[in-house]
Amino acid sequence: MTGHGGSEGPPGALAGLRVLDLTTERAWLSGRVLADLGALVTLVEPPGGHPARSGPAWLAFNRGKRSVTLDLCRGRDLFLRLVAAADVVVESYAPGTLQELGLGHDALAAVNPRVVLAGVTPFGQTGPYARHAAGDLVVAATGGAVWLSGDPDRPPVRISSDQYFLHAAAEAVVHTLVAVRHARLTGRGQHVDVSAQLATIRSLMNAVPGPYTDGSVVDRASFGEPVSGLPYRQLYACRDGHVLATVPFGPGPEGYLAWLRDEGHLTPGLEAPADGDPGFPELLAGALAAYFRTETKATLTRKALERRLMVAPVNTVADLMEDEQLAGRDYFRTVRAGGETLRVPGTWARLSATPLAGGGQVAEAGADNETVWRDEAGLSALELRRHRDEGVI
């Protein structure tokens, strides 16, 4: 089988699933994951192409999708022709937008009762915030993630790149596939309403149940610094960057003391673990810091593994590009985009019988207009030419 992106291999796990992708930047990832899993994903762009086509996010999240162009405001009936043969429509417009275009779930179900409509929005389709505009930072703030980011003695900060709509887009994939399964069993599709705020809350992990279990409240903590219940420092500088050392686990402090002793870096006061001594973790951290500064990440990781100690390198992007584990799994792929050859991330998992597609190439805007509008939607050559001339396609 040859995928849309030109990759050779057996059909993917979702082979035969037809997806219409109306998403904005908020949820491009949804269609990308479905395409990687083998679905036939058709990106529906405005005539001339999406305005964000030149950005790096476009290349990352829209590989492996077909592309057709359509003005949804004037081409409602044309879009419904595509819906008639689709299993899924995924979108991320503001709540009510598709309804205003006459393309809400009821309208889609009228031509295809089995179709699943998945929508990713900042706060969901209902509630007092449903119509509020919000970017990734607002979602992170209202979902609690910003409060936990940064140092405790300073105001909270945002992470360096947008992330929380990606959580929502990934959630949309999971719940959409559940809805597809239900549709195949019952013949009835449904509307999947994904709130990025709620998806953000799900990413907070142990911060969520604390107040309801033991009454604890997780607060900001400088990454790698001691916190209540974990008095040992974790982040250390070394010759070529940083490493993370998790002292309490595995052999524990005794293992690190033995390592320091063998390396000649055991300082006075550290001859043996001092149970109950509140100053011991700081003394150990100082000795480890002095020793780690003399070694590279690779050397420290190797020596720690030999001692079954939990030390890991803090990899930079450059480190990842040269990582032997990723190379051993053939993770990075080479693709052509915009006349350039790029090295890009590949698939996140391996399925033995239905391998993931890995993204493939990036289609030009409207690259599949002939195939989709004529062969699949049934337009004649004359009709297609007229719609093009009128700026509808």
Side-chain angles (χ1 to χ4, degrees):
M1 175 183 177
T2 301
H4 178 68
S7 57
E8 298 286 345
L14 297 183
L17 188 76
R18 302 177 73 91
V19 179
L20 298 176
D21 188 341
L22 296 178
T23 57
T24 63
E25 295 93 325
R26 293 172 173 171
W28 284 337
L29 177 64
S30 297
R32 166 67 196 275
V33 172
L34 292 169
D36 279 355
L37 289 167
L40 182 64
V41 179
T42 303
L43 188 65
V44 182
E45 303 182 61
H50 195 285
R53 266 189 160 266
S54 59
W58 180 271
L59 302 179
F61 299 129
N62 288 296
R63 302 202 313 273
K65 302 177 184 179
R66 303 193 302 180
S67 173
V68 299
T69 53
L70 179 67
D71 182 338
L72 286 176
C73 295
R74 295 190 292 157
R76 175 184 180 275
D77 291 342
L78 291 175
F79 183 71
L80 290 176
R81 289 199 188 195
L82 302 183
V83 171
D87 299 289
V88 173
V89 176
V90 59
E91 58 94 12
S92 57
Y93 296 121
T97 300
L98 287 188
Q99 286 88 339
E100 292 168 5
L101 294 172
L103 294 171
H105 187 256
D106 289 345
L108 304 187
V111 298
N112 181 355
R114 295 165 58 95
V115 73
V116 172
L117 173 62
V120 176
T121 58
F123 301 105
Q125 303 283 338
T126 59
Y129 290 3
R131 298 276 178 159
H132 287 193
D136 203 79
L137 178 57
V138 172
V139 168
T142 57
V146 170
W147 176 252
L148 297 177
S149 301
D151 300 318
D153 58 342
R154 301 180 184 182
V157 298
R158 62 165 295 174
I159 61 172
S160 57
S161 62
D162 292 350
Q163 180 172 154
Y164 294 99
F165 272 110
L166 297 180
H167 284 286
E171 292 277 358
V173 172
V174 175
H175 301 304
T176 294
L177 293 180
V178 172
V180 168
R181 172 66 174 167
H182 176 266
R184 290 183 173 176
L185 291 174
T186 66
R188 296 179 61 83
Q190 57 186 295
H191 187 196
V192 177
D193 175 10
V194 178
S195 159
Q197 181 192 31
L198 294 181
T200 300
I201 293 172
R202 285 174 61 86
S203 75
L204 303 184
M205 298 173 63
N206 60 312
V208 176
Y212 304 99
T213 53
D214 59 3
S216 63
V217 177
V218 177
D219 207 340
R220 287 190 301 286
S222 301
F223 181 74
E225 293 297 314
V227 296
S228 177
L230 290 173
Y232 292 95
R233 179 179 164 191
Q234 298 179 65
L235 185 66
Y236 294 89
C238 60
R239 276 176 53 189
D240 58 349
H242 294 81
V243 293
L244 201 66
T246 309
V247 174
F249 305 111
E254 294 88 348
Y256 285 90
L257 290 177
W259 189 9
L260 290 170
R261 184 180 298 110
D262 292 346
E263 298 289 349
H265 280 268
L266 193 66
T267 56
L270 287 177
E271 288 77 13
D275 293 337
D277 179 0
F280 177 77
E282 186 175 351
L283 282 175
L284 179 59
L288 289 174
Y291 167 53
F292 286 171
R293 282 195 294 268
T294 70
E295 304 277 23
T296 65
K297 288 185 284 190
T299 299
L300 290 171
T301 302
R302 175 179 56 79
K303 289 184 175 182
L305 286 174
E306 291 171 355
R307 296 172 176 272
R308 302 185 65 79
L309 297 172
M310 297 177 64
V311 173
V314 178
N315 285 332
T316 65
V317 173
D319 292 331
L320 294 176
M321 297 294 285
E322 302 301 325
D323 186 82
E324 63 180 357
Q325 172 65 19
L326 297 179
R329 290 179 64 84
D330 192 27
Y331 176 63
F332 289 102
R333 307 288 179 85
T334 299
V335 300
R336 293 284 298 172
E340 297 182 76
T341 299
L342 304 175
R343 191 172 177 221
V344 299
T347 57
W348 69 93
R350 288 186 172 182
L351 281 66
S352 60
T354 54
L356 275 66
Q361 307 298 324
V362 179
E364 295 295 330
D368 300 280
N369 278 344
E370 289 286 339
T371 299
V372 173
W373 293 121
R374 293 200 59 189
D375 299 345
E376 298 177 16
L379 294 184
S380 68
L382 183 61
E383 289 173 317
L384 179 57
R385 187 180 308 111
R386 175 171 57 82
H387 287 307
R388 278 175 167 159
D389 292 342
E390 294 173 350
V392 177
I393 289 178

